[in-house]
Amino acid sequence: MLEKRARKRRKYALAGSVLVTVIFAGFLWNTFSFYSKLNSVIQKYILDANQQIAENMSSKLKSNREFIADFADTLSRMPEHLLTEEMLERKAEAAGLDKVVVITSGNGQNAECLGDGEKLLQWSMETENIWQEPAVSIFEGRSFLFSAPSLKDGQAEKLVIGLESYEAFYSIYQKENQWKQGARILADGTTGEVLMLEMGNEFELSENEIEEVLKKQTENKSDSKTAYKDGYVISMEPVEGTDWIQYSVECDKEFLGFFSGNIRISLVLIVFESISFIILFFWSRQDMKRKEQMLLTDPITGGYNREGFLRAGQKRFDNQKKDEYTVVCLNICDFRKINDLWGEEAGNQVLRFVYRILAERISEQEMLCRNSMDHFVILMHEKTEGVIRERIWEMLEAMNGKIAENYYEYHIEFSIGCCPLELEEDIALAINKGLYVSKQKSEKNVCYFYDETAAKKLKEEYEISELFEESLKNHDFKVYLQPKVSEKGECKAEALVRWQHPQRGFIYPDQFIPLFEKNGKIYPLDMYVFEEVCKLVSAWMRNGMDMIEISVNLSRFTLKEGRKEIWENYKSIKEKYEIPDGLIEIELTETVLLDGNQIAYIRQVVNEFRRCGLKVALDDFGFAYSSLAILKELNVNTIKLDRSFFIDETPKSRRIVRDIIQLVHNLDMDVVAEGIEEMEQVNSLWESGCDYIQGYVYSKPLSIELFEKWRREYEEQEY
Ligand code: C2E
Ligand code: CA
Ligand code: CA
């Protein structure tokens, strides 16, 4: 799982860095593209603005020129007396000119000026050609001068002059240059004389620079109206109707500078965002690593947990040979009791203590973890069984030595299984195999080794397990019946399962019952046997046969899992086959109470079965526990005395059996003696008051057919 997560993390990291790079490249590309677009926008703006200025200028010049020409024409047809200074003032005002004057007497000698225009009179005398045709000139370097001769009979009789100061034209410049940048120059295209010059804020062009700008126009042979020089963009536009050229000079950098505030802010924001992203990215990676570390650590011991152990082990063997190592599994025996007796914190202390002692005794090349609850695993750099045994023994000695210093009566015990990596390369599987061998034998503090024999057995168990579902469906499991007989010749039976596999042949219960108890398949099997027995009883009833009581086994492992309301399933099957009450007995082994089951739960199970009309027997009584107190706790119908009472019998053991039978009778329960093989034992048991006897002395478990035959013969023989 963690390996998967690490791969995912690496993928995210890669995707993250690719994303950051792409964003950064995108940002760079965007900035360049923005700049180049901005540049062309600026250039277009300069061109357009300059063109607008030139157009405005020529239209203003044109309208003034036409006004003066019209007035000159009118004058030639107007009576003389109407021409007054007042009229000229009105005309100037109407045309928006500063001044309008009329110079009379065209021959040039006694010229007079109407209107305030001494200087203009003087100028008209000195300037060539102006009496011939309308013209636009510059007057005193401050004003535009519009002139037109008034002709009478083809002769220039009067000259009309209008004046307009540069200021009026500057307003055109200013209107078109909202940003107050760069410079605008109006120059005479022929002479190169600068007529008007206007410079924006913080923009200086020296005389030399102006000269250079003007030179550009002459250099510029093509039609292009744009030229560049050292970061300046120069736009040129002829002013229509004149020889003049309107120039705009802009420093594009300055223009960009105009936007630079915004660009800088967005730049700072993007850099800030990128930095935050990178910080966040690394922070989340750190966080992920920390969490991952937590997932690999056992909170109680502080060492590796199973996942961490497997990972570290995998890493170690990237460059080391595996077959020098052995996985050693140590399972604390009866750890549950420690927890129950002294509480969880004491349990945790024991786990930490065990971990510490083990950790102190492994080398740098070796590893250790708490694999699950009370189960530790060492990856030991040894492969010789003797050495491993010795080292483990030394660890256990150290533990129990320390414990003995404080608690004289207590010592810790382990079930121990070892699996050399030579036999199983995969560490996780080697742990399973070590565990498997540790459970095969019940002797404590002994190292059991996974070897060829264990491998064969494990393989067989695996194969048997695989056959289960199919066999259950095909009814390969058969119910056998073993008689139980009373002194008076009454008869009962115990149902015992047999597996007749079409390919593998006969499989004995001791080959599959313990296995199915381990892997949880025993519960469906028990339910199957129960249902088969119900079917049989139901068939007997239909055939009008005498009813006998049949007992069915229920594994303690089903109850160990604490299956709630297990009796409900039994009840519904019993009802389905309409089995009368008291005909079926459920055999629970006495060891149900060994598995840490709550006595209250077992008591409830017994009572509920009885409420359903099922009898209950306590099987294998005396085999493991022999607590007579249990008889008081559980309200069962029958006690089945275990076979162990009747092997190697002595007068003493017979006395014990007799006393137990008496005690059980006092509690209103029946006694069945199991595994009886000799007739002599039978007589002694009848003498002791035993109710029923089950054993080879009467019969082995028989198929239903043979059982029915046995029963007929037995009843005939009795009577
Ligand atoms: P158990 O319930 O104690 O069953 C009695 C076992 O003792 C049977 O073994 C029976 O064949 C054997 N036995 C009976 N009389 C004698 C005798 O005189 N001498 C000797 N040496 N043995 C005798 P079996 O059928 O091999 O079953 C073994 C165990 O498997 C059973 O022990 C029971 O615990 C389990 N088992 C059998 N069938 C089922 C089942 O359907 N469900 C569950 N949960 N367990 C079952
Ligand atoms: Ca039994
Ligand atoms: Ca038994």
Side-chain angles (χ1 to χ4, degrees):
M1 196 181 87
L2 282 177
E3 190 49 44
K4 226 178 181 176
R5 203 172 297 157
R7 238 181 290 137
K8 215 174 185 180
R9 207 193 63 208
R10 277 198 291 275
K11 241 191 238 169
Y12 281 148
L14 188 71
S17 4
V18 169
L19 192 71
V20 170
T21 317
V22 167
I23 290 175
F24 201 69
F27 166 67
L28 279 184
W29 172 83
N30 192 47
T31 311
F32 279 123
S33 148
F34 174 71
Y35 263 93
S36 86
K37 277 181 189 159
L38 195 60
N39 251 324
S40 54
V41 166
I42 288 168
Q43 277 165 27
K44 180 143 176 23
Y45 163 75
I46 294 167
L47 260 173
D48 287 353
N50 199 37
Q51 199 178 357
Q52 198 58 49
I53 290 172
E55 273 171 20
N56 288 355
M57 201 165 268
S58 55
S59 92
K60 195 164 171 63
L61 290 171
K62 192 178 165 212
S63 77
N64 286 350
R65 222 170 40 219
E66 281 171 358
F67 176 79
I68 294 299
D70 284 354
F71 185 40
D73 186 47
T74 318
L75 215 54
S76 64
R77 286 176 274 113
M78 199 178 73
E80 198 73 29
H81 71 272
L82 288 179
L83 180 67
T84 61
E85 280 199 31
E86 201 199 338
M87 181 205 187
L88 292 181
E89 273 168 26
R90 264 190 285 118
K91 281 283 174 193
E93 207 182 295
L97 291 166
D98 293 347
K99 191 185 276 184
V100 175
V101 298
V102 175
I103 296 178
T104 54
S105 181
N107 57 18
Q109 252 99 47
N110 300 315
E112 278 179 28
C113 178
L114 187 66
D116 176 21
E118 270 310 301
K119 282 185 180 160
L120 289 170
L121 180 63
Q122 188 66 33
W123 178 83
S124 71
M125 296 298 166
E126 287 162 6
T127 314
E128 283 174 32
N129 296 337
I130 59 154
W131 290 90
Q132 270 84 52
E133 53 189 15
V136 182
S137 329
I138 300 295
F139 180 67
E140 292 185 329
R142 282 189 288 118
S143 307
F144 291 104
L145 188 154
F146 307 92
S147 61
S150 168
L151 303 178
K152 202 162 204 175
D153 307 326
Q155 273 293 320
E157 198 186 31
K158 293 189 183 82
L159 182 68
V160 181
I161 293 176
L163 264 191
E164 179 154 31
S165 70
Y166 281 174
E167 275 75 37
F169 282 83
Y170 279 134
S171 75
I172 294 178
Y173 280 169
Q174 268 138 28
K175 202 174 120 220
E176 289 305 323
N177 180 27
Q178 314 136 11
W179 287 332
K180 309 273 180 283
Q181 298 280 320
R184 267 134 300 275
I185 306 164
L186 180 67
D188 190 317
T190 351
T191 61
E193 189 190 346
V194 174
L195 304 175
M196 266 171 65
L197 174 65
E198 202 249 347
M199 276 195 269
N201 300 345
E202 296 168 29
F203 188 86
E204 285 288 339
L205 276 182
S206 66
E207 265 181 37
N208 282 349
E209 281 170 325
I210 294 173
E211 221 169 90
E212 285 214 26
V213 168
L214 301 190
K215 241 197 254 161
K216 282 277 161 197
Q217 190 260 339
T218 28
E219 276 169 19
N220 198 12
K221 296 285 180 285
S222 70
D223 275 348
S224 165
K225 289 177 178 168
T226 328
Y228 304 92
K229 189 193 165 296
D230 307 334
Y232 291 113
V233 183
I234 305 159
S235 154
M236 300 159 271
E237 197 68 39
V239 179
E240 221 180 292
T242 65
D243 293 338
W244 303 340
I245 291 172
Q246 171 60 42
Y247 293 89
S248 252
V249 183
E250 296 287 1
C251 175
D252 55 1
K253 265 192 214 116
E254 250 170 65
F255 243 96
L256 287 175
F258 204 69
F259 300 98
S260 64
N262 302 60
I263 294 174
R264 226 171 284 143
I265 288 173
S266 71
L267 202 100
V268 167
L269 284 179
I270 286 178
V271 168
F272 179 74
E273 236 175 274
S274 305
I275 291 174
S276 320
F277 182 85
I278 290 168
I279 290 173
L280 215 75
F281 178 74
F282 281 104
W283 179 81
S284 72
R285 257 182 62 153
Q286 281 308 103
D287 190 50
M288 229 146 50
K289 263 191 194 160
R290 214 186 56 239
K291 280 186 185 146
E292 215 177 273
Q293 202 50 45
M294 261 166 62
L295 287 172
L296 301 177
T297 307
D298 168 30
I300 292 180
T301 61
Y304 285 125
N305 61 13
R306 179 184 165 88
E307 205 53 58
F309 180 81
L310 291 179
R311 269 229 201 171
Q314 216 64 48
K315 223 183 243 171
R316 171 148 316 173
F317 291 123
D318 274 354
N319 43 20
Q320 254 192 71
K321 268 173 75 183
K322 277 188 186 179
D323 51 15
E324 299 291 317
Y325 285 82
T326 300
V327 162
V328 182
C329 305
L330 297 125
N331 203 348
I332 304 178
C333 300
D334 295 331
F335 180 70
R336 198 193 288 261
K337 275 190 193 159
I338 299 175
N339 264 347
D340 288 350
L341 284 174
W342 296 322
E344 206 170 297
E345 187 39 45
N348 290 350
Q349 269 177 20
V350 170
L351 295 175
R352 276 191 284 269
F353 167 73
V354 170
Y355 183 87
R356 186 165 54 80
I357 298 283
L358 297 179
E360 282 167 4
R361 282 160 183 80
I362 59 172
S363 73
E364 287 218 334
Q365 284 168 301
E366 298 175 327
M367 281 166 37
L368 166 69
C369 80
R370 188 169 74 103
N371 184 51
S372 62
M373 168 113 155
D374 55 349
H375 178 213
F376 294 83
V377 178
I378 304 172
L379 185 63
M380 211 179 251
H381 190 223
E382 309 284 359
K383 61 179 194 177
T384 317
E385 290 190 9
V387 178
I388 294 171
R389 281 203 176 94
E390 216 165 274
R391 284 190 59 188
I392 294 293
W393 184 247
E394 197 271 320
M395 288 172 182
L396 302 187
E397 285 274 88
M399 258 177 238
N400 285 317
K402 281 240 159 42
I403 292 172
E405 287 170 14
N406 299 306
Y407 310 96
Y408 320 102
E409 78 284 16
Y410 186 74
H411 60 276
I412 200 163
E413 287 179 322
F414 291 85
S415 55
I416 307 163
C418 312
C419 177
L421 291 189
E422 217 172 10
L423 288 181
E424 174 52 67
E425 278 208 328
D426 187 294
I427 299 175
L429 294 179
I431 293 175
N432 290 350
K433 287 171 179 170
L435 263 176
Y436 172 77
V437 285
S438 78
K439 285 179 186 161
Q440 289 307 298
K441 307 234 172 70
S442 54
E443 208 167 326
K444 293 169 184 163
N445 290 355
V446 175
C447 292
Y448 292 108
F449 282 82
Y450 181 79
D451 53 16
E452 296 299 337
T453 324
K456 212 173 130 206
K457 190 163 178 234
L458 190 63
K459 185 167 165 267
E460 192 158 299
E461 285 188 3
Y462 174 77
E463 283 168 5
I464 287 178
S465 260
E466 289 291 287
L467 299 175
F468 175 73
E469 265 84 21
E470 192 68 18
S471 270
L472 201 63
K473 247 195 283 163
N474 296 343
H475 287 77
D476 294 339
F477 291 101
K478 308 285 179 209
V479 172
Y480 272 50
L481 295 173
Q482 185 177 31
K484 301 175 202 171
V485 173
S486 77
E487 195 180 2
K488 291 182 202 154
E490 293 149 321
C491 180
K492 298 185 190 182
E494 177 178 5
L496 293 158
V497 73
R498 298 288 178 264
W499 190 356
Q500 273 158 0
H501 193 264
Q503 277 84 45
R504 290 185 67 112
F506 198 86
I507 308 173
Y508 284 91
D510 59 349
Q511 269 180 288
F512 63 88
I513 298 275
L515 173 63
F516 291 169
E517 283 182 333
K518 261 191 294 176
N519 63 22
K521 292 183 160 106
I522 193 68
Y523 177 60
L525 182 65
D526 279 350
M527 293 310 294
Y528 168 89
V529 172
F530 180 71
E531 186 157 5
E532 290 297 298
V533 167
C534 289
K535 273 187 209 166
L536 176 69
V537 171
S538 159
W540 281 348
M541 285 194 305
R542 271 199 313 276
N543 296 338
M545 286 170 69
D546 275 351
M547 282 302 124
I548 59 162
E549 185 190 301
I550 299 186
S551 63
V552 178
N553 291 283
L554 165 58
S555 168
R556 70 189 172 109
F557 284 84
T558 304
L559 298 179
K560 192 177 167 186
E561 286 168 22
R563 273 174 201 269
K564 286 272 170 277
E565 285 151 30
I566 183 169
W567 51 87
E568 294 291 345
N569 296 342
Y570 281 82
K571 188 180 170 202
S572 67
I573 295 173
K574 177 179 168 277
E575 281 169 2
K576 182 177 162 193
Y577 293 94
E578 296 170 354
I579 308 296
D581 286 356
L583 263 193
I584 296 183
E585 188 169 62
I586 307 294
E587 294 193 7
L588 300 178
T589 51
E590 175 207 45
T591 45
V592 280
L593 291 168
L594 276 183
D595 296 320
N597 269 312
Q598 297 289 315
I599 179 82
Y601 172 63
I602 300 300
R603 203 185 292 132
Q604 189 190 9
V605 172
V606 170
N607 293 341
E608 292 292 343
F609 274 140
R610 294 198 60 178
R611 203 164 295 150
C612 299
L614 294 166
K615 292 172 78 176
V616 182
L618 203 55
D619 199 0
D620 300 345
F621 185 82
F623 168 67
Y625 214 38
S626 301
S627 163
L628 294 172
I630 195 177
L631 300 178
K632 203 178 70 196
E633 296 285 347
L634 300 177
N635 184 24
V636 296
N637 303 84
T638 311
I639 300 294
K640 290 186 81 176
L641 295 182
D642 191 64
R643 203 167 96 82
S644 50
F645 281 114
F646 312 107
I647 298 169
D648 303 329
E649 277 179 307
T650 58
K652 196 178 170 191
S653 76
R654 289 190 184 208
R655 257 203 320 278
I656 291 174
V657 168
R658 200 182 53 221
D659 291 347
I660 292 178
I661 292 173
Q662 242 172 45
L663 179 79
V664 171
H665 281 162
N666 287 343
L667 292 167
D668 251 358
M669 299 170 185
D670 282 348
V671 178
V672 177
E674 251 193 315
I676 308 301
E677 296 180 352
E678 311 292 339
M679 211 49 213
E680 188 218 332
Q681 289 174 306
V682 173
N683 295 328
S684 137
L685 278 165
W686 295 148
E687 272 168 31
S688 304
C690 182
D691 300 292
Y692 281 87
I693 288 174
Q694 174 184 353
Y696 294 168
V697 69
Y698 291 112
S699 167
K700 292 196 164 181
L702 301 167
S703 67
I704 290 167
E705 205 182 303
L706 289 178
F707 176 79
E708 285 169 354
K709 188 166 164 254
W710 175 88
R711 200 179 143 196
R712 275 194 305 275
E713 285 170 9
Y714 177 74
E715 279 163 6
E716 277 164 20
Q717 164 202 321
E718 283 295 301
Y719 299 101

Tab-separated table of all heavy atoms in Angstrom, residues 660-681:
chain	number	residue	atom	x	y	z
A	660	ILE	N	-17.410	-37.645	39.245
A	660	ILE	CA	-17.895	-36.627	38.284
A	660	ILE	C	-19.320	-36.971	37.854
A	660	ILE	O	-20.200	-36.107	37.826
A	660	ILE	CB	-16.965	-36.514	37.049
A	660	ILE	CG1	-15.612	-35.930	37.461
A	660	ILE	CG2	-17.599	-35.616	35.976
A	660	ILE	CD1	-14.602	-35.829	36.342
A	661	ILE	N	-19.536	-38.284	37.569
A	661	ILE	CA	-20.874	-38.691	37.122
A	661	ILE	C	-21.913	-38.333	38.182
A	661	ILE	O	-22.977	-37.774	37.879
A	661	ILE	CB	-20.901	-40.202	36.798
A	661	ILE	CG1	-20.033	-40.464	35.553
A	661	ILE	CG2	-22.334	-40.695	36.538
A	661	ILE	CD1	-19.835	-41.936	35.238
A	662	GLN	N	-21.556	-38.582	39.432
A	662	GLN	CA	-22.487	-38.265	40.519
A	662	GLN	C	-22.794	-36.772	40.575
A	662	GLN	O	-23.945	-36.348	40.669
A	662	GLN	CB	-21.863	-38.699	41.838
A	662	GLN	CG	-22.706	-39.758	42.521
A	662	GLN	CD	-21.965	-40.304	43.715
A	662	GLN	OE1	-21.394	-39.531	44.507
A	662	GLN	NE2	-21.965	-41.622	43.855
A	663	LEU	N	-21.714	-36.021	40.476
A	663	LEU	CA	-21.848	-34.558	40.526
A	663	LEU	C	-22.749	-34.055	39.395
A	663	LEU	O	-23.657	-33.250	39.607
A	663	LEU	CB	-20.453	-33.915	40.410
A	663	LEU	CG	-20.418	-32.398	40.424
A	663	LEU	CD1	-20.553	-31.890	41.855
A	663	LEU	CD2	-19.123	-31.899	39.809
A	664	VAL	N	-22.495	-34.587	38.187
A	664	VAL	CA	-23.266	-34.153	37.021
A	664	VAL	C	-24.739	-34.524	37.202
A	664	VAL	O	-25.631	-33.726	36.913
A	664	VAL	CB	-22.677	-34.784	35.730
A	664	VAL	CG1	-23.583	-34.518	34.539
A	664	VAL	CG2	-21.286	-34.230	35.456
A	665	HIS	N	-24.973	-35.716	37.721
A	665	HIS	CA	-26.359	-36.117	37.979
A	665	HIS	C	-27.019	-35.206	38.984
A	665	HIS	O	-28.186	-34.856	38.840
A	665	HIS	CB	-26.406	-37.575	38.459
A	665	HIS	CG	-26.266	-38.538	37.316
A	665	HIS	ND1	-25.913	-39.863	37.491
A	665	HIS	CD2	-26.425	-38.374	35.979
A	665	HIS	CE1	-25.852	-40.454	36.300
A	665	HIS	NE2	-26.168	-39.564	35.377
A	666	ASN	N	-26.242	-34.813	40.006
A	666	ASN	CA	-26.796	-33.882	40.998
A	666	ASN	C	-27.234	-32.579	40.356
A	666	ASN	O	-28.137	-31.908	40.840
A	666	ASN	CB	-25.769	-33.581	42.088
A	666	ASN	CG	-25.603	-34.772	43.009
A	666	ASN	OD1	-26.465	-35.670	43.027
A	666	ASN	ND2	-24.506	-34.800	43.749
A	667	LEU	N	-26.555	-32.237	39.288
A	667	LEU	CA	-26.901	-30.992	38.581
A	667	LEU	C	-27.963	-31.236	37.506
A	667	LEU	O	-28.207	-30.363	36.666
A	667	LEU	CB	-25.650	-30.374	37.945
A	667	LEU	CG	-24.612	-29.834	38.930
A	667	LEU	CD1	-23.307	-29.545	38.216
A	667	LEU	CD2	-25.136	-28.589	39.635
A	668	ASP	N	-28.512	-32.420	37.475
A	668	ASP	CA	-29.589	-32.744	36.530
A	668	ASP	C	-29.138	-32.815	35.100
A	668	ASP	O	-29.859	-32.388	34.191
A	668	ASP	CB	-30.711	-31.693	36.637
A	668	ASP	CG	-31.914	-32.314	37.294
A	668	ASP	OD1	-31.837	-33.530	37.596
A	668	ASP	OD2	-32.919	-31.596	37.477
A	669	MET	N	-27.946	-33.326	34.907
A	669	MET	CA	-27.445	-33.455	33.539
A	669	MET	C	-27.120	-34.918	33.289
A	669	MET	O	-26.857	-35.672	34.219
A	669	MET	CB	-26.163	-32.639	33.345
A	669	MET	CG	-26.338	-31.152	33.572
A	669	MET	SD	-24.736	-30.365	33.602
A	669	MET	CE	-25.181	-28.693	34.028
A	670	ASP	N	-27.112	-35.277	31.967
A	670	ASP	CA	-26.738	-36.639	31.589
A	670	ASP	C	-25.240	-36.729	31.353
A	670	ASP	O	-24.607	-35.729	31.041
A	670	ASP	CB	-27.455	-37.038	30.300
A	670	ASP	CG	-28.910	-37.405	30.574
A	670	ASP	OD1	-29.250	-37.564	31.762
A	670	ASP	OD2	-29.685	-37.494	29.600
A	671	VAL	N	-24.717	-37.956	31.436
A	671	VAL	CA	-23.286	-38.157	31.166
A	671	VAL	C	-23.125	-39.140	30.014
A	671	VAL	O	-23.748	-40.201	29.997
A	671	VAL	CB	-22.548	-38.707	32.405
A	671	VAL	CG1	-21.077	-38.958	32.077
A	671	VAL	CG2	-22.678	-37.756	33.574
A	672	VAL	N	-22.290	-38.753	29.041
A	672	VAL	CA	-21.921	-39.661	27.953
A	672	VAL	C	-20.417	-39.900	28.075
A	672	VAL	O	-19.652	-38.947	28.207
A	672	VAL	CB	-22.232	-39.056	26.572
A	672	VAL	CG1	-21.768	-39.998	25.455
A	672	VAL	CG2	-23.721	-38.764	26.424
A	673	ALA	N	-20.001	-41.169	28.039
A	673	ALA	CA	-18.565	-41.468	28.050
A	673	ALA	C	-18.141	-41.741	26.620
A	673	ALA	O	-18.793	-42.502	25.896
A	673	ALA	CB	-18.288	-42.672	28.938
A	674	GLU	N	-17.042	-41.074	26.211
A	674	GLU	CA	-16.618	-41.132	24.805
A	674	GLU	C	-15.375	-41.987	24.642
A	674	GLU	O	-14.528	-42.035	25.541
A	674	GLU	CB	-16.230	-39.717	24.359
A	674	GLU	CG	-17.184	-39.092	23.401
A	674	GLU	CD	-16.551	-37.861	22.781
A	674	GLU	OE1	-15.940	-37.043	23.529
A	674	GLU	OE2	-16.654	-37.729	21.565
A	675	GLY	N	-15.242	-42.613	23.491
A	675	GLY	CA	-14.002	-43.313	23.139
A	675	GLY	C	-13.818	-44.608	23.908
A	675	GLY	O	-12.694	-44.983	24.241
A	676	ILE	N	-14.894	-45.263	24.202
A	676	ILE	CA	-14.812	-46.515	24.967
A	676	ILE	C	-14.605	-47.687	24.000
A	676	ILE	O	-15.362	-47.845	23.040
A	676	ILE	CB	-16.093	-46.737	25.800
A	676	ILE	CG1	-16.392	-45.492	26.651
A	676	ILE	CG2	-15.983	-47.995	26.666
A	676	ILE	CD1	-15.283	-45.104	27.609
A	677	GLU	N	-13.527	-48.461	24.273
A	677	GLU	CA	-13.169	-49.525	23.326
A	677	GLU	C	-13.337	-50.925	23.921
A	677	GLU	O	-13.453	-51.909	23.198
A	677	GLU	CB	-11.733	-49.309	22.841
A	677	GLU	CG	-11.603	-48.003	22.046
A	677	GLU	CD	-10.203	-47.731	21.531
A	677	GLU	OE1	-9.270	-48.472	21.907
A	677	GLU	OE2	-10.037	-46.774	20.760
A	678	GLU	N	-13.343	-51.009	25.269
A	678	GLU	CA	-13.364	-52.344	25.897
A	678	GLU	C	-14.690	-52.592	26.632
A	678	GLU	O	-15.224	-51.682	27.275
A	678	GLU	CB	-12.237	-52.456	26.943
A	678	GLU	CG	-10.875	-52.011	26.446
A	678	GLU	CD	-10.309	-52.935	25.385
A	678	GLU	OE1	-10.765	-54.106	25.310
A	678	GLU	OE2	-9.441	-52.486	24.605
A	679	MET	N	-15.169	-53.824	26.558
A	679	MET	CA	-16.413	-54.214	27.230
A	679	MET	C	-16.295	-54.067	28.747
A	679	MET	O	-17.248	-53.674	29.425
A	679	MET	CB	-16.748	-55.671	26.850
A	679	MET	CG	-18.232	-55.950	26.808
A	679	MET	SD	-19.106	-54.697	25.847
A	679	MET	CE	-20.633	-54.684	26.743
A	680	GLU	N	-15.070	-54.289	29.217
A	680	GLU	CA	-14.810	-54.204	30.657
A	680	GLU	C	-15.074	-52.780	31.174
A	680	GLU	O	-15.667	-52.580	32.223
A	680	GLU	CB	-13.349	-54.602	30.888
A	680	GLU	CG	-12.971	-54.739	32.332
A	680	GLU	CD	-11.578	-54.219	32.609
A	680	GLU	OE1	-10.723	-54.243	31.677
A	680	GLU	OE2	-11.347	-53.753	33.742
A	681	GLN	N	-14.673	-51.811	30.325
A	681	GLN	CA	-14.887	-50.393	30.677
A	681	GLN	C	-16.392	-50.106	30.717
A	681	GLN	O	-16.871	-49.374	31.569
A	681	GLN	CB	-14.254	-49.482	29.616
A	681	GLN	CG	-12.736	-49.471	29.630
A	681	GLN	CD	-12.190	-48.665	28.447
A	681	GLN	OE1	-12.553	-48.936	27.303
A	681	GLN	NE2	-11.328	-47.715	28.752
